[in-house]
Amino acid sequence: MNDLAGKHIVLGLTGGIACYKAAELCRALLKEGATVQVVMTEAAAQFITPVTMQALSNRAVYGSQWDARAPNNMAHINLSREADAILIAPCSADFIARLVHGRADDLLSLMCLARPRDQVPLLVAPAMNREMWAHPATQRNVTQLITDGATILGVGRGDQACGETGDGRMLEPQELLDDVIAFFQPKTLAGQQVLVTAGPTYEAIDPVRGITNLSSGKMGFAVARAAREAGAEVTLVAGPVHLATPRGVRRIDVKSALNMLEVSVECAQSASIFIATAAVADWRPANSAEQKIKKDGSGEVPRLTFVENPDILATLAQSPRGRSGELYCVGFAAESHDLLANAQAKRLRKGVPLLVGNIGPATFGQDDNALLLVDEFGVKDLARDSKLALARKLIAEIATRTRARGQK
Ligand code: C5P
């Protein structure tokens, strides 16, 4: 993906051991299509050399406000006007204090002060010892920085270079990258609580065997990520899959359809949007054996009988909150043929305002997909693309529809 194509990021480094992670962050930003201008404080250059950062960013690094390379000798103005964002990573306790006080006696703080605030957002990735982070002075400064319009990307928890353990580590480069990408996504679902089901379910036959399906969970995880990027609080109820939890998403792992129903019903109480992407097993063995079913050598095979699983989507769509529209329900349909007719019929059968059709064999396990959106007004095609790109488009469509309903 080129999620940062066309974006120009000023990457500011300040004095901290986490400077070593900034090298990888710089590469990660470039890989997503951004151009990166590195600006370093004097202290940062004690931890990593400008040569390293120049080689990685493919641009001369700036460090001094007296740098004669800028023809007008105004590096602070030139560099800050071109940027789509200034990202300070790592941002030391000292530099946070400087930002709060509007200091301007080195190039990076001068740039932050001189930037047009409504056009060039300031993103800050703090990095410091746990005591420094917990200190009331730092916490006060962080609060003030947020009031002044900066976005704090948070800190990680864990072992620190000083040998202590606690809050204050800089986030990992991949986490910062995800946060920067999310920052640029339109906040169409701000204030919404979104519930997503994803993946297959596993229906036990006995303690060691069960029935499942080939759903990878990728579409649902992409939908959860896209909803989070759009500003929603997201709960992801996931069947058994091996996928990383999208950043900022609350994940609850479940196994069977009955588990998924129970957790979803509970979580749906506070949700405003429910997106059912899970491939829930239609049936489960009527009785799951308590002990492993053994071969006894007689050649006799066990006879399984099945009962139908509850329909989670229909249950929530027909609940009082679903019916009143307080909970906007979106279903998925994986079909092998006649996608449009099947999707339209399924939308009515489930009683949901929006149903998203896809061709099962063309999506299971794949990284891309194509979607067909069916609602009461008609049909919309979302052409083949990566699952994340489609998920973002779907979230935008859902946001438009829920806004329109809210305005009725
Ligand atoms: O009926 P079918 O399984 O084709 O419906 C698919 C849609 O219904 C998907 O959104 C799926 O997540 C949801 N579903 C459900 N509970 C079931 C079966 C399907 O929530 N037991």
Side-chain angles (χ1 to χ4, degrees), residues 197-199 257 260 274-282 308-315 330-335 346 349-350 355-356:
T197 59
M260 190 175 269
F274 172 47
I275 309 172
T277 69
V280 183
D282 290 316
E308 196 169 318
N309 270 326
D311 190 313
I312 302 167
L313 176 61
T315 304
V330 182
F332 266 67
E335 304 293 343
K346 194 159 288 183
R349 203 166 62 241
K350 305 258 181 184
L355 197 116
V356 183

Side-chain angles (χ1 to χ4, degrees), residues 7-12 36-39 59 62 64 70 72-88 99 106-122:
K7 298 284 185 229
H8 182 63
I9 312 281
V10 168
L11 176 60
V36 177
Q37 173 62 58
V38 176
V39 177
R59 274 174 185 251
Y62 280 79
S64 160
N72 57 358
N73 219 307
M74 291 191 199
H76 63 294
I77 301 291
N78 309 342
L79 298 180
S80 66
R81 296 303 182 271
E82 293 165 3
D84 289 295
I86 299 178
L87 166 63
I88 310 208
L99 288 171
D106 81 292
L107 178 61
L108 190 55
S109 53
L110 177 58
M111 274 179 58
C112 292
L113 196 66
R115 78 187 205 282
R117 270 176 303 141
D118 49 345
Q119 288 159 39
V120 185
L122 177 62

Side-chain angles (χ1 to χ4, degrees), residues 79-386:
L79 298 180
S80 66
R81 296 303 182 271
E82 293 165 3
D84 289 295
I86 299 178
L87 166 63
I88 310 208
C91 191
S92 64
D94 177 65
F95 200 79
I96 290 175
R98 297 163 69 77
L99 288 171
V100 167
H101 284 271
R103 298 291 295 267
D105 54 1
D106 81 292
L107 178 61
L108 190 55
S109 53
L110 177 58
M111 274 179 58
C112 292
L113 196 66
R115 78 187 205 282
R117 270 176 303 141
D118 49 345
Q119 288 159 39
V120 185
L122 177 62
L123 312 182
V124 170
M128 66 200 73
N129 163 270
R130 66 190 174 115
E131 297 290 0
M132 294 168 76
W133 175 251
H135 196 287
T138 303
Q139 290 303 311
R140 212 167 44 234
N141 286 341
V142 167
T143 306
Q144 185 59 50
L145 208 51
I146 294 168
T147 307
D148 290 349
T151 298
I152 306 289
L153 300 182
V155 291
R157 185 183 180 76
D159 294 341
Q160 303 201 304
C162 49
E164 298 178 5
T165 303
D167 288 340
R169 286 165 58 99
M170 188 170 84
L171 295 176
E172 296 305 319
Q174 185 60 47
E175 295 174 315
L176 290 174
L177 179 71
D178 287 349
D179 284 354
V180 173
I181 291 171
F183 179 83
F184 285 115
Q185 293 298 320
K187 300 293 172 247
T188 52
L189 289 187
Q192 302 277 3
Q193 303 229 14
V194 176
L195 172 66
V196 182
T197 59
T201 61
Y202 176 90
E203 311 298 330
I205 294 172
D206 68 17
V208 296
R209 303 185 184 93
I211 295 173
T212 185
N213 61 63
L214 289 176
S215 165
S216 63
K218 286 178 182 172
M219 192 67 225
F221 274 57
V223 166
R225 173 176 171 173
R228 177 70 194 142
E229 288 177 340
E233 268 186 42
V234 181
T235 302
L236 173 60
V237 182
V241 292
H242 298 281
L243 292 175
T245 310
R247 252 184 89 60
V249 166
R250 178 169 78 120
R251 171 177 179 173
I252 303 173
D253 285 327
V254 295
K255 250 181 157 176
S256 67
L258 289 178
N259 295 152
M260 190 175 269
L261 173 74
E262 193 188 342
V263 173
S264 301
V265 166
E266 169 74 33
C267 295
Q269 287 176 12
S270 54
S272 49
I273 297 171
F274 172 47
I275 309 172
T277 69
V280 183
D282 290 316
W283 307 281
R284 67 179 183 278
N287 298 300
S288 159
E290 296 220 333
Q291 294 185 346
K292 183 182 171 192
I293 304 170
K294 303 288 250 182
K295 266 190 300 198
D296 62 7
S298 69
E300 216 176 293
V301 294
R303 309 249 169 243
L304 293 177
T305 52
F306 291 91
V307 289
E308 196 169 318
N309 270 326
D311 190 313
I312 302 167
L313 176 61
T315 304
L316 288 175
Q318 299 312 318
S319 70
R321 294 190 71 241
R323 280 169 174 276
S324 71
E326 264 179 283
L327 179 69
Y328 184 84
C329 293
V330 182
F332 266 67
E335 304 293 343
S336 58
H337 61 282
D338 290 342
L339 187 54
L340 177 58
N342 280 317
Q344 282 170 329
K346 194 159 288 183
R347 188 181 86 81
L348 297 176
R349 203 166 62 241
K350 305 258 181 184
V352 294
L354 177 63
L355 197 116
V356 183
N358 56 177
I359 296 291
T363 173
F364 274 26
Q366 308 286 321
D367 288 323
D368 59 358
N369 197 4
L371 303 178
L372 186 71
L373 275 51
V374 179
D375 68 7
E376 63 179 307
F377 304 109
V379 175
K380 181 159 191 172
D381 248 316
L382 298 184
R384 195 146 205 98
D385 208 335
S386 74

